[in-house]
């Protein structure tokens, strides 16, 4: 059920992506103000992200540059700073790295969201920046974000990084196998060709997996028994009684090495901080043997076993361990030296002086 629901979720997301891709190809994002960086953003970003970009660009009309000392540090001030709330920030400092073309603002909107803020846009428009710097372009917001997972020819998958994992390979192979089935069912000749190369591919894959697989065996003196002519068995060890020279080993054929089984130890258990609990994990049967409160049947109060199955929990006497009675009616209680209970210091007969 989980796999079905997850597959349905992936299909819905792919349909939404395809619909957004169709709408983007049919509609053109028009610039609002005509700045060069706005024209570059209209071709670079998706329609939804370009809408957010225009909202930030519209906010630049509320700020002015008040300080430009060396061309690498700008101070931006809100035009209505006197009437703004006391808790709101009205001035921001933007620093520029000339070697990387990196803009840093005190609002940290780009570091948080991936879109440059209105303060940086104001500096870019005032200084005549024609395009958004490469270091400020997040690939996930661009129209080419989905490109790179497949080659344009559709014959192979270009793995760019570790994110192209087993799921991507499975999907790509699945789609190509469906195309092979559609092409191979044309007639008997195409079907035989498809089956021939499918079997050949399976054989090659099994041969490759055997070369990289690690086959391990457990036994006595495995390296000598595998490479030599004489094999050491359990009967031979029992007759000689000498197991020091041929201890029990875990031998790996691929790596050609053996490990003594006696050298393998259990992993170190890190104790948790605090007092360990004495409550063990209750199984389903243990959870069903709990007792409920007494149920009154007529004039007599009867204890009814609780839980789903209604299993009666067996009680044992703490003195003689008999299931027939408890410590109050135990016949051999007097034979044990049971120490008397100590009286409490704050008993009801204590006298207090005021």
């Amino acid at each position: 059920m989980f796999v079905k629901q997850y597959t349905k979720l992936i299909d819905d997301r792919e349909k939404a992506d395809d619909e957004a891709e169709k709408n983007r190809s049919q509609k053109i994002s028009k610039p609002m103000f005509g700045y060069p960086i706005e024209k570059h953003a209209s071709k670079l970003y998706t329609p939804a992200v370009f809408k957010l970009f225009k909202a930030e660009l519209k906010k630049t009309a509320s700020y002015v540059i008040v300080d430009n000392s060396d061309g690498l540090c700008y101070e931006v001030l809100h035009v209505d700073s006197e009437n703004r709330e006391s808790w709101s920030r009205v001035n921001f400092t933007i620093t520029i790295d000339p070697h990387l073309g990196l803009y840093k603002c005190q609002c940290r909107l780009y570091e948080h969201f991936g879109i440059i803020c209105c303060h940086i846009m104001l500096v870019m428009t005032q200084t005549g920046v024609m395009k958004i710097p490469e270091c400020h372009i997040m690939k996930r917001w661009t129209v080419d974000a989905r490109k790179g997972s497949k080659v344009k020819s559709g014959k192979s998958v270009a793995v760019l990084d570790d994110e192209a994992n087993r799921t991507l390979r499975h999907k790509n192979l699945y789609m190509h196998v469906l195309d092979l089935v559609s092409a191979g069912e044309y007639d008997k000749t195409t079907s035989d060709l498809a089956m021939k190369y499918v079997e050949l591919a399976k054989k090659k894959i099994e041969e490759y997996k055997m070369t990289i697989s690690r086959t391990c065996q457990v036994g006595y003196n495995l390296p000598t028994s595998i490479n030599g002519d004489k094999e050491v068995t359990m009967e031979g060890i029992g007759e000689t009684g000498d197991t020091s020279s041929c201890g029990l080993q875990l031998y790996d054929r691929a790596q050609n090495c053996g490990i003594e089984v006696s050298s393998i130890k259990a992993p170190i258990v890190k104790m948790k901080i605090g007092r360990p609990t004495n409550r063990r994990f209750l199984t389903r049967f243990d959870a069903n043997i709990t007792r409920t409160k007494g149920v009154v049947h007529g004039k007599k109060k009867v204890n009814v076993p609780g839980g789903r199955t209604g299993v009666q929990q067996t009680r044992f006497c703490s003195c003689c361990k008999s299931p027939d009675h408890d410590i109050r009616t135990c016949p051999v209680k007097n034979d044990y030296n049971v120490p008397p209970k100590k009286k409490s210091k704050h008993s009801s007969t204590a006298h207090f002086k005021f």
Side-chain angles (χ1 to χ4, degrees):
M1 183 61 67
F2 171 76
V3 173
K4 289 181 180 179
Q5 295 296 330
Y6 183 77
T7 306
K8 183 180 178 181
L9 173 65
I10 296 299
D11 293 340
D12 293 341
R13 295 307 307 160
E14 289 182 351
K15 289 180 181 178
D17 292 342
D18 294 338
E19 184 177 0
E21 188 73 20
K22 182 197 69 174
N23 295 333
R24 186 196 64 80
S25 61
Q26 293 180 351
K27 297 180 181 178
I28 300 175
S29 299
K30 296 182 179 180
M32 182 184 298
F33 302 100
Y35 291 111
I37 59 171
E38 186 184 10
K39 294 179 180 179
H40 181 234
S42 63
K43 300 177 181 179
L44 181 69
Y45 292 131
T46 60
V49 180
F50 181 64
K51 187 177 180 181
L52 299 176
F53 182 87
K54 290 192 295 184
E56 288 294 322
L57 187 60
K58 188 177 181 180
K59 295 179 184 178
T60 58
S62 302
Y63 291 90
V64 292
I65 299 175
V66 295
D67 187 15
N68 179 17
S69 58
D70 54 355
L72 300 177
C73 183
Y74 292 85
E75 186 176 351
V76 177
L77 182 67
H78 197 275
V79 294
D80 197 13
S81 58
E82 297 179 355
N83 298 328
R84 301 279 290 179
E85 291 82 357
S86 59
W87 48 264
S88 62
R89 186 161 190 159
V90 294
N91 59 334
F92 298 88
T93 303
I94 297 95
T95 58
I96 304 174
D97 188 352
H99 301 287
L100 301 176
L102 181 65
Y103 292 75
K104 288 186 178 181
C105 182
Q106 288 182 333
C107 69
R108 300 292 181 182
L109 179 65
Y110 174 76
E111 288 80 4
H112 173 70
F113 192 57
I115 297 178
I116 55 179
C117 60
C118 58
H119 318 112
I120 297 178
M121 290 185 187
L122 176 63
V123 176
M124 287 183 176
T125 54
Q126 294 296 325
T127 56
V129 178
M130 305 298 292
K131 293 183 178 181
I132 301 174
E134 290 291 336
C135 57
H136 285 286
I137 297 176
M138 303 295 291
K139 187 179 179 182
R140 63 174 178 266
W141 300 139
T142 62
V143 295
D144 298 331
R146 302 181 68 184
K147 295 181 180 179
S149 61
K150 290 185 178 181
V151 183
K152 292 184 178 179
S153 62
K155 295 182 180 180
S156 61
V157 176
V159 180
L160 300 179
D161 48 15
D162 294 337
E163 294 182 0
N165 52 8
R166 185 175 181 179
T167 304
L168 180 60
R169 297 193 299 268
H170 174 82
K171 182 178 179 180
N172 183 67
L173 288 171
Y174 183 77
M175 299 303 296
H176 283 76
V177 168
L178 289 180
D179 295 339
L180 179 63
V181 171
S182 300
E185 65 182 3
Y186 181 74
D187 56 9
K188 188 176 183 303
T189 305
T190 57
S191 177
D192 294 340
L193 285 173
M195 289 299 300
K196 175 183 176 181
Y197 287 102
V198 166
E199 294 294 334
L200 180 61
K202 290 170 61 176
K203 182 179 178 181
K204 293 292 184 181
I205 291 173
E206 291 297 330
E207 291 177 356
Y208 170 74
K209 290 171 66 176
M210 287 297 295
T211 57
I212 63 173
S213 64
R214 301 184 62 182
T215 56
C216 298
Q217 295 180 353
V218 179
Y220 288 94
N221 201 6
L222 279 172
T224 57
S225 62
I226 293 173
N227 299 325
D229 298 330
K230 187 176 180 180
E231 183 178 359
V232 180
T233 59
M234 293 295 292
E235 290 82 2
I237 295 174
E239 294 173 359
T240 58
D242 184 14
T243 59
S244 59
S245 61
C246 51
L248 188 62
Q249 292 183 347
L250 180 66
Y251 185 72
D252 186 2
R253 288 176 177 268
Q255 301 294 332
N256 195 18
C257 62
I259 303 174
E260 294 287 341
V261 176
S262 59
S263 64
I264 301 175
K265 298 181 181 180
I268 300 175
V269 179
K270 186 178 181 181
M271 301 298 294
K272 296 182 180 180
I273 301 175
R275 181 180 177 182
T277 178
N278 56 358
R279 180 181 176 87
R280 66 180 177 86
F281 179 77
L282 296 179
T283 63
R284 186 175 180 181
F285 177 78
D286 294 333
N288 288 333
I289 63 176
T290 55
R291 298 173 66 91
T292 60
K293 295 182 179 180
V295 181
V296 178
H297 292 280
K299 296 183 179 180
K300 189 176 180 181
K301 189 175 182 180
V302 182
N303 288 329
V304 179
R308 296 181 181 179
T309 57
V311 180
Q312 179 69 39
Q313 184 177 5
T314 305
R315 305 289 182 177
F316 297 93
C317 178
S318 59
C319 183
C320 63
K321 309 302 179 183
S322 175
D324 300 330
H325 56 268
D326 55 7
I327 187 65
R328 296 173 295 180
T329 59
C330 181
V332 295
K333 180 177 64 174
N334 297 328
D335 297 339
Y336 289 84
N337 296 324
V338 180
K341 294 183 178 180
K342 295 182 179 179
K343 293 184 179 181
S344 176
K345 294 182 180 180
H346 304 286
S347 60
S348 59
T349 58
H351 297 280
F352 298 92
K353 294 182 180 181
F354 298 94

